[in-house]
Amino acid sequence: MINALLEPLFRKLEIRDILSSEERQILSDAASSPVSFRAGADLVAEGDRPERSTLVVAGFTTRYRQLADGRRQITGIHMAGDFVDLPSLLLKVMDHSVGALSDCSVVTFPHAALREVTERQPHLARLLWLTTLLDAGILREWVLGMGRLTAPQQLAHFICETYVRLQVAGLAPDRTFSLPLTQTALGDALGLSSVHINRTLQDLRSEGLFTWEGNRIRIIDWERLQRRANFDPLYLHLHAEPR
Amino acid sequence: MINALLEPLFRKLEIRDILSSEERQILSDAASSPVSFRAGADLVAEGDRPERSTLVVAGFTTRYRQLADGRRQITGIHMAGDFVDLPSLLLKVMDHSVGALSDCSVVTFPHAALREVTERQPHLARLLWLTTLLDAGILREWVLGMGRLTAPQQLAHFICETYVRLQVAGLAPDRTFSLPLTQTALGDALGLSSVHINRTLQDLRSEGLFTWEGNRIRIIDWERLQRRANFDPLYLHLHAEPR
DNA sequence: CGAACCATTGATTCGCGTCAAACCCGGTGG
DNA sequence: CCACCGGGTTTGACGCGAATCAATGGTTCG
């Protein structure tokens, strides 16, 4: 039986290519039973040598690096369907930590099984490679934002990006989605202080672009939000292609 | 005969793993003859669908995105031994441009041949994947710098990183190397203005960390430079491992 | 009921951008 | 041979975006 927990991953891949039922089966067979983490817990730490790679099936996680003085920088947000530490399959040693942003649930894949995939399932291997390339594309977009955009643009862009990624995973019906990020965490992601995030958020809300109550974001004016952010989803590579 | 132009790539890979002579041969056979570009020329542009992937064999290139108002952000610097657009093998459409920072020389590999590698040479395919993961690691480090470090730290860190990468490629003997970057380009990479780059550079030089005359950088005090930058090369994954 | 965490607000400071001009240099053409 | 030009570097003056510091409320939870 195909593992229903992998649906968001399958959706993510099928938007970019065709996934055979055999390939789904292989992934399902390799997946562990789900494991839960509480918000704030670390799934993997810098310096670790994971022997399994972790796929988020519910909730949110983040890649981050901590500085000596306690400040941190987030370098990625991951949601259902995202691998959080697939790079460690080849990099071996984690060069950053991964923590749970919310209570979340994951399944893991033994590196041995994934390596087997690279040996015997070239197409599936390319799709795994693809997921790491999509992450890198997002990272380039973050660099652009951090280097050249103002806080409001960056923030609006982040909302656009997250909204689209959640749609792909099937988690943002009705232009509404849950995003369990504190303003401090948002600042850690965008390279801004929580105070400034707070004020910027108020500005954007007062422009009528979206609402954000508790964990719930509702997009009010998607067209205008995209324009505000200069958002172009090209870098998310949402088209199906033979990969 | 093994193609000598690929030496920097081989060095880069052999620092991280073992490369068989058959694998070298496969790469050599797939490589085109060298092609030259003048400084400022674009090798690939955003929106392109490359059918070949490009490896730098001499000189420097950069990934970048241009904003509507003319400002640009650089998201990567590439040197001999680096693939500049390997991601397009799977992403298909370029989501950024690649330009020549200096006069440079490249060889290209048909995507058909690289795909063949993914089908028949799983280990070599993993090494190609690895190179894209190394790029992503560098990008994460840039995000950390742009989000949380001051201009002097960022700049010092950039020098450290570039120096180590050039050493790997065999291009930085004697703590000296050529880096044909204008201060404007440096600013585009670090997300700073050229004016601020200029002043920050003066500060670092006056601290006796390095000299920078014309294109030549000479590291004066490597230990102190690393401390100044808080540089830890973990993210460059310089150790050999079975990948 | 207090502890802890998060959102919010005001006051102040500072790193860096912007603007503008001068300078330096190698290349070009009259 | 020299005037000129363009790209890069350097310098100064000024302003703004965002950090920092500090305090207040609101909520959740043990």
Side-chain angles (χ1 to χ4, degrees):
Chain A
M1 185 205 68
I2 298 284
N3 196 331
L5 296 173
L6 301 190
E7 251 335 295
L9 172 62
F10 294 158
R11 286 193 57 146
K12 178 176 168 174
L13 295 177
E14 280 175 331
I15 281 182
R16 276 89 178 195
D17 194 5
I18 294 165
L19 194 62
S20 75
S21 57
E22 186 197 353
E23 288 169 330
R24 292 187 201 212
Q25 192 61 56
I26 288 167
L27 287 173
S28 293
D29 290 347
S32 73
S33 340
V35 180
S36 293
F37 289 88
R38 308 308 303 273
D42 270 358
L43 311 190
V44 197
E46 192 177 329
D48 283 0
R49 293 181 139 266
E51 302 202 329
R52 318 177 60 87
S53 278
T54 304
L55 174 78
V56 181
V57 296
F60 289 80
T61 67
T62 178
R63 301 175 192 284
Y64 69 92
R65 295 236 358 227
Q66 195 99 30
L67 297 176
D69 62 9
R71 289 179 306 157
R72 74 169 180 170
Q73 177 64 46
I74 285 177
T75 58
I77 303 280
H78 294 290
M79 55 194 65
D82 291 338
F83 280 98
V84 304
D85 56 359
L86 192 49
S88 72
L89 177 64
L90 297 181
L91 294 178
K92 303 300 177 187
V93 178
M94 291 294 293
D95 55 25
H96 60 276
S97 301
V98 177
L101 279 170
S102 63
D103 290 352
C104 63
S105 172
V106 307
V107 298
T108 62
F109 298 81
H111 280 184
L114 294 175
R115 169 175 277 258
E116 194 68 11
V117 166
T118 68
E119 293 283 339
R120 303 208 199 296
Q121 298 288 330
H123 178 250
L124 193 47
R126 287 195 298 270
L127 291 182
L128 293 179
W129 184 358
L130 175 67
T131 67
T132 66
L133 294 174
L134 293 171
D135 278 352
I138 291 171
L139 221 36
R140 280 192 294 271
E141 204 68 15
W142 283 28
V143 166
L144 173 65
M146 297 176 76
R148 295 301 181 212
L149 302 187
T150 63
Q153 290 175 302
Q154 250 193 104
L155 193 41
H157 195 280
F158 177 82
I159 307 267
C160 289
E161 173 179 297
T162 305
Y163 172 53
V164 171
R165 289 176 62 193
L166 283 167
Q167 271 189 317
V168 168
L171 298 173
D174 284 345
R175 326 220 119 171
T176 297
F177 54 95
S178 149
L179 190 64
L181 279 186
T182 65
Q183 296 183 0
T184 303
L186 239 190
D188 288 344
L190 303 185
L192 299 165
S193 70
S194 64
V195 172
H196 200 57
I197 289 286
N198 184 285
R199 296 196 234 258
T200 307
L201 219 33
Q202 290 179 44
D203 291 347
L204 291 182
R205 280 187 304 225
S206 74
E207 288 180 30
L209 297 172
F210 56 84
T211 61
W212 187 332
E213 287 156 6
N215 288 338
R216 292 254 119 213
I217 297 184
R218 173 183 299 276
I219 308 287
I220 303 290
D221 190 335
W222 176 233
E223 289 305 322
R224 205 147 50 84
L225 180 60
Q226 282 177 289
R227 271 200 309 275
R228 186 77 164 86
N230 237 295
F231 179 74
D232 175 353
L234 173 66
Y235 74 101
L236 293 174
H237 300 276
L238 298 171
H239 300 293
E241 305 258 6
R243 315 265 179 184
Chain B
M1 184 208 67
I2 299 283
N3 195 330
L5 296 174
L6 302 190
E7 252 334 295
L9 171 63
F10 295 158
R11 286 193 58 145
K12 177 175 168 174
L13 294 177
E14 280 175 333
I15 282 183
R16 276 88 179 196
D17 195 4
I18 294 165
L19 195 62
S20 74
S21 56
E22 186 198 353
E23 288 169 330
R24 292 187 201 213
Q25 193 61 58
I26 289 167
L27 287 172
S28 293
D29 290 349
S32 73
S33 342
V35 180
S36 293
F37 289 88
R38 308 309 303 272
D42 270 358
L43 311 186
V44 197
E46 193 178 330
D48 282 0
R49 293 182 138 267
E51 302 202 329
R52 317 177 62 87
S53 278
T54 304
L55 175 78
V56 181
V57 296
F60 290 79
T61 66
T62 179
R63 301 176 190 283
Y64 69 92
R65 294 235 359 227
Q66 195 100 28
L67 296 177
D69 62 9
R71 290 179 305 157
R72 73 168 181 171
Q73 177 64 47
I74 285 177
T75 59
I77 303 280
H78 293 290
M79 54 195 65
D82 291 336
F83 280 99
V84 304
D85 56 359
L86 192 50
S88 71
L89 177 64
L90 297 181
L91 293 179
K92 303 301 178 186
V93 178
M94 290 295 292
D95 54 25
H96 59 276
S97 301
V98 177
L101 279 170
S102 63
D103 290 352
C104 63
S105 171
V106 306
V107 297
T108 62
F109 299 82
H111 280 184
L114 294 175
R115 168 174 278 258
E116 195 67 11
V117 166
T118 68
E119 293 284 339
R120 303 207 199 296
Q121 298 287 331
H123 178 250
L124 192 48
R126 286 195 298 270
L127 291 182
L128 293 179
W129 184 359
L130 175 67
T131 66
T132 66
L133 294 174
L134 292 171
D135 278 352
I138 291 171
L139 220 38
R140 279 192 295 272
E141 204 68 14
W142 283 29
V143 166
L144 174 65
M146 299 176 75
R148 295 300 181 213
L149 302 187
T150 63
Q153 290 175 302
Q154 251 192 105
L155 192 41
H157 195 281
F158 178 83
I159 307 268
C160 289
E161 174 180 297
T162 305
Y163 172 53
V164 171
R165 289 175 63 193
L166 284 167
Q167 272 190 315
V168 168
L171 300 173
D174 284 346
R175 327 220 117 172
T176 297
F177 54 95
S178 148
L179 190 63
L181 278 186
T182 66
Q183 296 183 0
T184 303
L186 240 189
D188 288 344
L190 303 185
L192 299 165
S193 69
S194 64
V195 172
H196 200 59
I197 289 286
N198 183 283
R199 296 196 233 259
T200 306
L201 262 180
Q202 290 179 46
D203 291 347
L204 291 181
R205 281 188 302 225
S206 74
E207 287 179 31
L209 298 171
F210 56 84
T211 61
W212 187 332
E213 286 155 7
N215 288 338
R216 293 253 118 214
I217 297 185
R218 172 183 299 275
I219 308 287
I220 303 290
D221 191 335
W222 175 234
E223 289 305 322
R224 206 148 48 83
L225 180 60
Q226 281 177 289
R227 271 200 311 274
R228 185 77 164 86
N230 237 296
F231 179 73
D232 175 353
L234 172 66
Y235 74 100
L236 294 174
H237 300 276
L238 299 171
H239 300 293
E241 306 258 5
R243 316 266 179 182

